Amino acid sequence: MWSLAVVSFVLGYICILLIGSHEYFQGTVVERWHYALTDGVCDFLEQAINRVCGRRGNAFLEATEAACCQGSNPIGQVFFGILFIGCYLGVHTEIFPMLENTPGFSTWHRYTGGLTAVIVLYFFFLVCYCDPGKINESNLDAHLALYPPDGILFPEPPQHCSTCIQLKPGRSKHCNATKSCVARFDHWCIWINNAVGLYNTRWFLCFLFSTAAACLYGAVLGGNLIAADMREKGAWSKEWIEPRTRNKVYLGDHWGLVFQFVLSRYSMGAAMSVFLGVAFWIVLGFTGLQIYRIKIGMTTNESWKIKEMRSAGAVVATRSGNGLSPSYSHYNRGWRRNFAEIMFPKYYLLQSLRDKDKDG
């Protein structure tokens, strides 16, 4: 029951995270739950610290947020590395050894599992250290041509950045860590200690996909090995004495007994499989959110800008004549073009610059 409750909570959280901010759910309980599980948690924490610690607590909270979410800090990278290596060692010591004694499973899983881990680490280091899309004098015109300001979220005509003193194209934002404006700035990711922008969003997606695939691989392999080992040893047909009634029952007739048996006989392997299964759904949910935003032509930064404008009571008419909705995006050019710009950013930068030169 507890495992079912945890899985239900995780799946429900992912669904609310993905769809809760959509305009269709505006004013409904889904939107309120979305706020409670996202911004509401942060607001509650801020108010609690303010009441307990006063101004010093708020100053510490702001400094912590700036250090973790707005500046270069390797803590997230180190934590991910430790967590990833720990998970792989857990699979290597608890799940892989079962391959030797379980019929129907190839020992090649040791090599394919290791290859999967290498792929995750490759994309991790790639997205950590590649250029997120720094804007400089040599590529400024191309970025202005690809993403001109919309006049709503990004001022038109383009304004000069107060830090790096150059024009800011639409969708860009100055990043203190990289010390430059980043094209199509999405968010600063503490796990990779880098900004996610126009140039590295594709590698960020590959990192998310490979991490989700690795978690799913480990969870499914571990669960199937445990189930097969139980069948091989005849555990499903074993008789047990029910503590309250003292009646004989079979293990396969009661999921509660199965849960207890698995925890007692395969404690570490079962815990590792469950952890990887939950991690898979969490990473998959975040991946789905990123894909959905790319599909509708919106970045995380633009989503936050819209929320701030709406919470401030700003009444803005878009060029289509509608109000500023949560799903507003001036840069939605159709899902095919949206994904193409992510996958081949330099090609579309050159194409936009050529089109601009032709138009004069």
Side-chain angles (χ1 to χ4, degrees), residues 37-181:
L37 294 174
T38 53
D39 295 339
V41 175
C42 299
D43 293 342
F44 174 79
L45 181 62
E46 183 178 354
Q47 293 175 7
I49 291 178
N50 185 33
R51 290 183 179 181
V52 175
C53 304
R55 294 182 178 178
R56 292 184 179 180
N58 271 343
F60 173 78
L61 190 64
E62 291 175 359
T64 303
E65 180 185 3
C68 296
C69 302
Q70 300 177 13
S72 180
N73 192 322
I75 293 178
Q77 289 174 306
V78 172
F79 182 78
F80 176 82
I82 294 174
L83 185 64
F84 183 81
I85 293 173
C87 287
Y88 181 77
L89 291 177
V91 172
H92 184 77
T93 57
E94 298 295 333
I95 294 178
F96 285 164
M98 298 175 65
L99 294 169
E100 306 290 342
N101 304 317
T102 307
F105 289 87
S106 172
T107 55
W108 275 98
H109 284 291
R110 290 181 178 271
Y111 305 106
T112 54
L115 178 61
T116 304
V118 170
I119 292 173
V120 173
L121 290 177
Y122 170 76
F123 285 122
F124 175 66
F125 285 108
L126 182 63
V127 76
C128 283
Y129 298 107
C130 69
D131 178 12
K134 297 179 182 179
I135 300 174
N136 50 50
E137 293 182 2
S138 63
N139 59 26
L140 176 60
D141 291 338
H143 285 292
L144 284 169
L146 181 61
Y147 296 129
D150 64 341
I152 297 177
L153 299 180
F154 305 97
E156 185 182 22
Q159 306 294 309
H160 285 85
C161 175
S162 59
T163 305
C164 57
I165 318 300
Q166 69 176 3
L167 290 177
K168 294 181 66 175
R171 317 195 83 178
S172 66
K173 182 181 178 181
H174 187 85
C175 176
N176 294 326
T178 59
K179 297 179 181 179
S180 64
C181 286

